[in-house]
Amino acid sequence: MPLNRRKFLEKSAVTGAGVALAGAVSAPGAQAAEAKRGAKRYAFTVLGTTDLHGNVFNWDYFTDKEFDDKDHNDVGLAKVSTLVNRVRAEKGRRNTLLIDAGDTIQGTQLSYYYAKVDPITAKGGPVHPMAQAMNAMEYDAAALGNHEFNYGIPVLRKFEQQCRFPLLGANALDAKTLRPAFAPYSMHRLRTPHGRDVKVAVLGLTNPGIAIWDKANVQGKMTFPGLEEQAAKWVPKLRSMGADVVIVSAHSGSSGTSSYGDQLPYIENAAALVAEQVPGIDAILVGHAHTEIPEYFVTNKKTGKQVVLSEPLKWGQRLTLFDFELVWERGCWKVEKVGAEVLNSNTVEEDPKITKLLTDEHEKVVAYVNQVIGTNAAEMTSAEAPYKDVPIIDLINHIQADTVKQALAGTEHAALPVLSQAACFSRSARIPAGEVTIRDVAGLYVFENTLEARLMTGAQMKAYLEFSANYYVQTAPDAPVDPAKLTNANGTPDYNYDVVSGLSYEIDIAKPAGSRVTDVRFEGQPLADDAKFVFAVNNYRANGGGNFPHVAAAQLVWSNSDEIRNTMIAWVKAKGSIDPAAFAGVDWKLTRNGTPVF
């Protein structure tokens, strides 16, 4: 019996009490033989994906060719579908569940196209490609990710309607009623050869950072309490409802850290804390952190029980398998053993069922991103952007500053100088000499950030730069410099290293973090602490993403609801040409005791 979606959502808005029948009679064999000997056992497998980010095909829309990286990973649901089919064939279709841990509808030009260019929310609009693929693969449930909210709640709700499986978010609450805004959980029955079904509960938890990162879309509409407190509320309920197995699908990493500092009293990457603090959980599918964790055990402090965690690599590069072994004891099923592993999607071909289903959508997006919108005088790449001032990052800052200056013309802040921040989102971004397409520009800014303008002082900008410089590994004055080992200190991602235009400065990597930025100047003069600036900054950073100092509390003087990526595309279209000589320069550099590193 398929899940009755309308009845499920009506009921689950209060209790999350949907029940899906996921099994029928298993084939006789080893389990039946054991049953004759009196040992009632049953095994099943939960397959998991996370952070798919709009990847259906093994295709890179920014390079217009098959996806590839240095490890030769493959991406996309079409590859994952082949792995899922193989596992189902091996284990028995009725002895498996397929779930996801969020961040599904944002990340590629495919997902952008059906949110903005040919939106699924339009009257008579298309069905989202991710909904089509996941429906065809017969997903059983998916947790909400933070990027589900990037395009606004109407797009998310339409996607939810198009899915034939529930979107789960026990800690996504209606801001007024504080009741679940989405189904908190789903319940699934797996039929055994022993007369009693196994009831498997899947509890969905999303990321509290949504309140910061997508403040414009959710403020006053939804609130997002911590994962631990909501798991502590729901897991006992699921057990009392007869759940034999409880699985958490959590869009939250396992490290126990946060990128938004003290702006929220919740932990961003709380999956391991949930396992440690909340009794009654058997396994957690981890998402959000974009790391690969094949199998990781956490001991629950209250029960001493081992809880298994697994995070498959992003974009469909891996598929997690949780293998459960149950035994019948004292009138109920008990989890006797559970382990996890990941399968690599580069070991299989794409499922022709999925590629055939979405070929038309794929071709529309390929045609869209290859539209020529201007010309470029000289090739620009981001290969050295993490450690050198390069023109391609200067371009982002130039467009952002230009946009803010035009927006503030005629206002009380028009006379203030405009600074701008940008980060290297992709080390493979490239804008060729000659014709420039939409995908060339879009590939430079791969996130759906929007642009804001905040008031900052010289002292605050110095602190901002100093915090950004934590990105570098301290390197002694006489030590060799390997660019591959110089960056990402303490796990800092490239997107949390900001370059600021409008100032000149040096970063001394021989000095310890916190005392690296030197010779900060504005228009050739030492930067005064009381100088006032307008700071062009993306909404992720302005809302606290990365926990940079001062900016989140700074006065907002202007904001734009359009993505920076679209602003850049429109700028290139309007200008018709890009000339790096008009905006590129070396305003910052790495040094050691005053000597440039490069």
Side-chain angles (χ1 to χ4, degrees):
M1 292 173 59
L3 179 68
N4 185 315
R5 179 164 182 74
R6 181 179 62 81
K7 292 182 178 179
F8 174 90
L9 290 176
E10 288 174 354
K11 194 170 184 180
S12 64
V14 180
T15 65
V19 177
L21 180 62
V25 178
S26 296
Q31 290 177 340
E34 289 180 350
K36 290 180 180 179
R37 297 195 298 269
K40 294 182 179 179
R41 298 183 185 278
Y42 176 70
F44 71 97
T45 298
V46 176
L47 304 93
T49 56
T50 191
D51 296 279
L52 294 168
H53 283 288
N55 285 281
V56 173
F57 298 92
N58 186 41
W59 192 260
D60 186 339
Y61 293 96
F62 298 129
T63 61
D64 199 28
K65 59 185 180 182
E66 279 199 2
F67 177 88
D68 193 25
D69 62 14
K70 62 182 178 62
D71 298 317
H72 302 297
N73 288 302
D74 288 346
V75 301
L77 277 174
K79 290 268 184 173
V80 174
S81 183
T82 300
L83 291 175
V84 169
N85 291 339
R86 289 187 178 184
V87 175
R88 283 172 171 168
E90 176 188 348
K91 307 285 185 178
R93 173 66 182 90
R94 302 176 186 275
N95 301 318
T96 64
L97 295 171
L98 176 59
I99 64 176
D100 183 80
D103 275 7
T104 304
I105 60 171
Q106 173 277 337
T108 64
Q109 286 293 281
L110 181 74
S111 54
Y112 175 82
Y113 186 90
Y114 288 98
K116 291 289 189 177
V117 181
D118 185 11
I120 61 174
T121 50
K123 186 176 181 180
V127 177
H128 199 289
M130 294 301 287
Q132 292 191 57
M134 296 173 81
N135 287 340
M137 292 171 64
E138 299 182 350
Y139 269 77
D140 293 285
L144 294 164
N146 53 285
H147 284 289
E148 259 66 83
F149 294 84
N150 285 175
Y151 296 118
I153 293 174
V155 170
L156 174 54
R157 287 300 191 190
K158 186 64 177 181
F159 175 71
E160 181 187 27
Q161 292 172 13
Q162 293 177 343
C163 292
R164 294 199 293 266
F165 52 89
L167 299 184
L168 308 178
N171 62 327
L173 309 181
D174 182 277
K176 294 180 179 178
T177 66
L178 298 183
R179 295 169 67 182
F182 295 85
Y185 68 89
S186 57
M187 193 79 79
H188 310 266
R189 288 186 183 273
L190 300 175
R191 191 165 295 169
T192 77
H194 306 300
R196 187 184 188 277
D197 298 342
V198 172
K199 293 179 69 175
V200 181
V202 179
L203 178 68
L205 296 170
T206 192
N207 206 289
I210 295 167
I212 290 176
W213 305 321
D214 269 302
K215 183 178 180 180
N217 290 329
V218 302
Q219 187 173 34
K221 299 174 183 177
M222 293 185 191
T223 185
F224 303 88
L227 282 81
E228 304 99 307
E229 71 172 64
Q230 292 301 301
K233 172 183 176 180
W234 284 101
V235 171
K237 288 185 179 182
L238 297 175
R239 290 294 184 181
S240 69
M241 292 166 57
D244 300 296
V245 179
V246 173
I247 300 166
V248 174
S249 183
H251 192 76
S252 180
S254 63
S255 66
T257 61
S258 285
S259 67
Y260 43 71
D262 58 1
Q263 296 179 75
L264 283 177
Y266 310 119
I267 301 296
E268 175 183 351
N269 296 302
L273 295 175
V274 171
E276 183 181 83
Q277 298 176 13
V278 181
I281 298 170
D282 296 295
I284 300 181
L285 177 64
V286 179
H288 182 63
H290 289 201
T291 57
E292 181 177 345
I293 305 174
E295 183 183 63
Y296 173 47
F297 288 95
V298 174
T299 302
N300 185 271
K301 285 187 174 180
K302 296 182 180 179
T303 65
K305 177 184 174 181
Q306 294 278 289
V307 182
V308 65
L309 283 66
S310 181
E311 181 176 5
L313 199 58
K314 64 187 185 297
W315 306 345
Q317 295 178 42
R318 305 288 187 272
L319 173 70
T320 278
L321 271 64
F322 291 106
D323 286 314
F324 288 85
E325 296 179 16
L326 277 60
V327 62
W328 181 265
E329 288 182 353
R330 299 180 181 179
C332 62
W333 289 108
K334 298 289 186 183
V335 175
E336 186 176 48
K337 182 181 178 182
V338 57
E341 62 177 317
V342 295
L343 303 182
N344 194 328
S345 63
N346 73 3
T347 62
V348 296
E349 298 299 317
E350 292 184 327
D351 183 350
K353 175 183 175 182
I354 303 301
T355 56
K356 182 180 179 180
L357 178 68
L358 292 165
T359 293
D360 289 346
E361 286 83 349
H362 171 70
E363 291 178 348
K364 284 182 182 178
V365 176
V366 169
Y368 164 74
V369 300
N370 281 290
Q371 294 179 52
V372 175
I373 57 174
T375 61
N376 179 32
E379 182 185 49
M380 298 180 287
T381 76
S382 62
E384 297 180 318
Y387 49 90
K388 288 185 182 180
D389 189 345
V390 296
I392 202 166
I393 303 299
D394 291 340
L395 175 62
I396 300 175
N397 276 325
H398 180 68
I399 293 174
Q400 290 181 164
D402 191 39
T403 301
V404 169
K405 287 174 185 176
Q406 292 185 42
L408 295 180
T411 72
E412 61 178 307
H413 304 294
L416 289 177
V418 177
L419 309 179
S420 179
Q421 63 79 222
C424 176
F425 296 138
S426 169
R427 298 194 186 198
S428 60
R430 172 181 172 270
I431 297 182
E435 291 185 340
V436 177
T437 64
I438 284 177
R439 68 177 173 84
D440 294 327
V441 179
L444 180 55
Y445 212 108
V446 300
F447 293 111
E448 269 70 36
N449 296 337
T450 58
L451 188 59
E452 297 187 5
R454 303 265 179 154
L455 295 183
M456 297 278 279
T457 68
Q460 290 173 334
M461 291 309 307
K462 289 177 185 177
Y464 192 98
L465 292 172
E466 193 65 67
F467 183 88
S468 187
N470 293 340
Y471 173 71
Y472 292 105
V473 175
Q474 186 174 4
T475 308
D478 57 349
V481 175
D482 181 355
K485 299 177 181 178
L486 181 62
T487 62
N488 307 101
N490 300 312
T492 303
D494 290 346
Y495 62 76
N496 273 346
Y497 171 61
D498 282 1
V499 169
V500 173
S501 72
L503 301 174
S504 63
Y505 55 97
E506 297 180 3
I507 300 174
D508 191 331
I509 61 172
K511 294 181 179 179
S515 59
R516 292 176 170 171
V517 177
T518 62
D519 197 25
V520 185
R521 294 177 177 267
F522 173 65
E523 295 184 341
Q525 299 300 313
L527 179 62
D529 286 349
D530 61 353
K532 290 182 171 56
F533 301 95
V534 172
F535 191 33
V537 59
N538 69 57
N539 68 306
Y540 173 81
R541 188 71 77 236
N543 289 332
N547 200 29
F548 277 62
H550 304 301
V551 65
Q555 181 183 343
L556 174 69
V557 296
W558 176 84
S559 64
N560 184 12
S561 61
D562 204 9
E563 289 92 349
I564 293 171
R565 180 162 61 200
N566 277 348
T567 299
M568 293 173 62
I569 291 169
W571 188 92
V572 174
K573 280 183 176 179
K575 299 291 183 182
S577 63
I578 302 170
D579 183 3
F583 55 80
V586 180
D587 295 322
W588 67 273
K589 57 188 174 184
L590 301 184
T591 64
R592 289 187 292 185
N593 291 341
T595 302
V597 175
F598 300 105

